[in-house]
Structure formats: C-alpha cells, structure tokens
Amino acid sequence: MNMGMGGEALIILLIALGVILVVGGLGLALGWARPRSTPLPCRTVVDLILAYLEGTLAPTERKAFEAHISDCQKCWTFLKTYRDTVDLGRELREDAIPPDVHERLESFLRKRLSGPS
Amino acid sequence: MSANLVAALKRKDPMAFEQLLANHGAMLHRVALRLMGKPEEAEEVLQETLLAVYEKIDTFDEQAALTTWLYRIVTNNALMRLRARGRARETPLEPEGPVFSADGHMVQEVAEWNLSPEDALLRQEARAVLQQAVDHLPEAYRAVYVLAEIEGLPHQEIATLLDLTIPAVKTRLHRARISLREVLADYFKAGKNGERR
C-alpha cells in the first residue's frame, strides 16, 4: 500500500515534469524566451534602408534596425548620408524646359504637323 | 482640362500640340535628358515623342492618365535609342557600395559629410557631381532612378513602364542610390583633403 502511494507520487511528479518540459519547449519554439529583436549584421541593415525610409518594415524588423543603428556608428553615418543622397537627387528635378529647346520644338511641330500628312 | 487637351489632340489640332509642349514639355525634356545624358540626343527623343503622340493619340485610352502615357512614350523612345546605340546594357554598377566582412559587418569607415540646406553653393556643386554620376549609371539603373527619384513616380507605375517587378524596381533604386552615395562620399572626402576647389 505504502509502495503504491509512493508509485502514484512518482507518476504525478513525472507527469508534472513532462508538462514543464513540453510547455518550456513550446515556449522556446515560439520565441517566448528569446530576445524580442535579433541583432542584425550591417549588411542586412544596409539592405533594409530603402524599406526603412519608406516605412514598410515590419515592427520587429524596424525595432531591430533601429537598435543596430543606435549602436553602430558606421551604419548610422551610412543611413544619414544615404538620406542626403536621396534629398539631393530629388533636387535634380528641373521644372522648366530651356527656352531655346522649346522654341526649336515648336518650330519642329509647325513644320511636321501643319503640312499635309 | 486634360480631357479637352486630349480631345483637341485627337482632332490633330496643331495648337493642341503646342499646348501639350507647354504643359508637359518640361517633364518630357527632363526624362529624355537624364536618360540620354546628351542635350542634342534628348531633343531628338523629344521630337520622336511628339511625333509618336501625333500618330498614336487615337489609341490613347482616356481612362488612363495622359502623363503616364507620355512617360511611357518618352521612356521607350529613349531606351530604344540607347539600345540601338549599343550602349553596354550589362555594364556593372560602379562603385558598388560598402564592403562587408564574412559575418556581415562593415569593414571600412564611413566618412560623414555635412550638407546643410543653407550652404547653397556646396549643394549646387554636389548636385552637379550627382547629375554627372546619374548620367554614368548603367541604363537599367538609370531608368529606374530617374523615374523614381527625379520624377517621383510610384514603384508600381515604374514597374509597369519598364516591365519589371516591384522588388526589381526597389533593388535597382536602392543599388543606384548606394552607388551615387559612394560618388558623393568621394567628392566630399576630396574636398576635406583639399583636393577640390
């Protein structure tokens, strides 16, 4: 009888241990115990810059990206100068056609389009 | 306004073509010039584009935007010319960008530059350097860069115009920017070392 009760206790202990192991394993598999954002290497950060600036990174990716940038001087500088390059590129837009080109094109139109086709 | 213009273009009204030039000439010229790199060739592309509008305006679907249709014509004309000219389409993109170690970390230092909005002269110089570098981008990258960065078209529209996927548009734009950033970094570095000015 005493042996039987001891056996039951052992079985209960083993079941409890099993449950702990299963839940723990499942938790690890689902990333409960992992840090929220995995550290990114510089190469990945550089690859993600366009998506970061366009605001299309997933929240966890964005967090990892920003964590890296705040720690890595090289990537921080790279991001800043990449941004400068984008801003400067947008300034290349000229909103007027040179007057001499406009004049020649108008004359071209008159010659080619006004006569019989 | 645009519907009236399209209707007049379809009637082959010569005044409508002058109006088209007044309304959209700057955009057409900008795209042609940035893609071709040479003013005289850009002007020829513009002439071809105006003729194509004259010949094809009847096929224009009025549900679409006239600007998008014009972008398609001018881009195609410029790219066809570049291909006919035999400009190496497979030219590699140079400079490529940062060098990474085997574990993905940046190997070299990244030089910082200071380009404040107030320094008009420096910005003007830097723009000239950038413009020249854009003209030297390989055709595949230049077309995407011009349409995205300078014209501000959405990725989807560029993908349709150039028959690319959206990820391909993003990759080319990103790589072009990285290459141009390197050119600017060299320019600013040279200035710091007293090799410029």
Side-chain angles (χ1 to χ4, degrees):
Chain A
M1 185 70 178
N2 275 351
M3 280 294 282
M5 278 181 69
E8 268 177 37
L10 191 67
I11 289 167
I12 290 168
L13 192 70
L14 285 174
I15 290 172
L17 213 68
V19 169
I20 289 167
L21 282 174
V22 168
V23 171
L26 199 66
L28 270 178
L30 293 175
W32 297 342
R34 271 187 291 174
R36 284 282 169 210
S37 52
T38 334
L40 298 176
C42 303
R43 187 197 295 274
T44 309
V45 167
V46 168
D47 286 345
L48 293 177
I49 288 181
L50 182 135
Y52 175 73
L53 293 181
E54 289 182 351
T56 54
L57 284 184
T60 48
E61 257 179 334
R62 186 182 178 86
K63 213 169 168 182
F65 181 98
E66 286 171 347
H68 180 105
I69 291 289
S70 64
D71 275 350
C72 176
Q73 180 64 39
K74 288 178 184 173
C75 284
W76 186 88
T77 307
F78 192 87
L79 173 64
K80 182 194 167 289
T81 49
Y82 181 103
R83 246 188 199 139
D84 282 344
T85 308
V86 172
D87 291 343
L88 209 59
R90 289 179 181 155
E91 291 176 22
L92 294 182
R93 187 186 168 104
E94 289 151 20
D95 286 319
I97 187 167
D100 55 327
V101 178
H102 192 272
E103 218 168 276
R104 282 197 296 276
L105 286 169
E106 273 193 333
S107 139
F108 169 81
L109 279 172
R110 274 193 291 271
K111 260 190 237 160
R112 296 296 296 263
L113 310 184
S114 300
S117 56
Chain B
M1 179 75 176
S2 181
N4 291 343
L5 177 60
V6 171
L9 289 170
K10 286 192 173 182
R11 288 197 306 273
K12 313 280 183 185
D13 177 353
M15 290 301 288
F17 286 85
E18 290 191 18
Q19 190 60 50
L20 178 84
L21 192 59
N23 293 0
H24 302 280
M27 173 277 274
L28 293 172
H29 180 257
R30 210 166 46 224
V31 174
L33 182 61
R34 288 282 69 83
L35 289 181
M36 300 310 297
K38 293 180 181 171
E40 59 279 15
E41 283 190 277
E43 206 169 318
E44 285 170 17
V45 166
L46 270 179
Q47 289 180 355
E48 287 166 5
T49 300
L50 291 170
L51 284 180
V53 171
Y54 184 81
E55 283 160 13
K56 294 178 185 167
I57 189 68
D58 289 328
T59 66
F60 172 66
D61 173 10
E62 286 174 52
Q63 300 301 312
L66 179 62
T67 322
T68 306
W69 191 66
L70 294 173
Y71 269 122
R72 177 169 297 126
I73 297 178
V74 71
T75 307
N76 284 344
N77 279 339
L79 294 180
M80 270 185 340
R81 259 178 177 265
L82 286 173
R83 283 164 196 162
R85 199 204 281 170
R87 213 183 242 192
R89 265 181 288 164
E90 305 302 325
T91 317
L93 185 62
E94 281 178 1
E96 273 194 40
V99 179
F100 300 100
S101 62
D103 62 356
H105 287 89
M106 256 192 237
V107 174
Q108 293 148 326
E109 283 303 313
V110 181
E112 192 173 355
W113 69 61
N114 190 18
L115 188 61
S116 77
E118 292 79 37
D119 196 340
L121 183 64
L122 185 60
R123 285 195 89 84
Q124 195 183 339
E125 280 183 14
R127 266 199 304 274
V129 170
L130 184 62
Q131 193 152 299
Q132 210 174 9
V134 171
D135 292 345
H136 285 96
L137 283 174
E139 173 201 312
Y141 295 90
R142 193 166 65 250
V144 170
Y145 182 83
V146 167
L147 295 173
E149 207 83 296
I150 304 179
E151 295 306 311
L153 297 188
H155 299 324
Q156 171 68 69
E157 201 171 328
I158 299 168
T160 310
L161 282 172
L162 300 178
D163 199 17
L164 294 170
T165 61
I166 293 178
V169 168
K170 289 185 181 185
T171 303
R172 289 186 193 188
L173 174 61
H174 184 52
R175 292 192 59 201
R177 283 173 172 174
I178 286 178
S179 179
L180 297 170
R181 195 211 74 86
E182 294 295 321
V183 173
L184 286 173
D186 285 347
Y187 163 76
F188 285 112
K189 199 169 147 194
K192 219 178 231 178
N193 296 340
E195 293 162 25
R196 187 166 47 80
R197 286 186 187 174

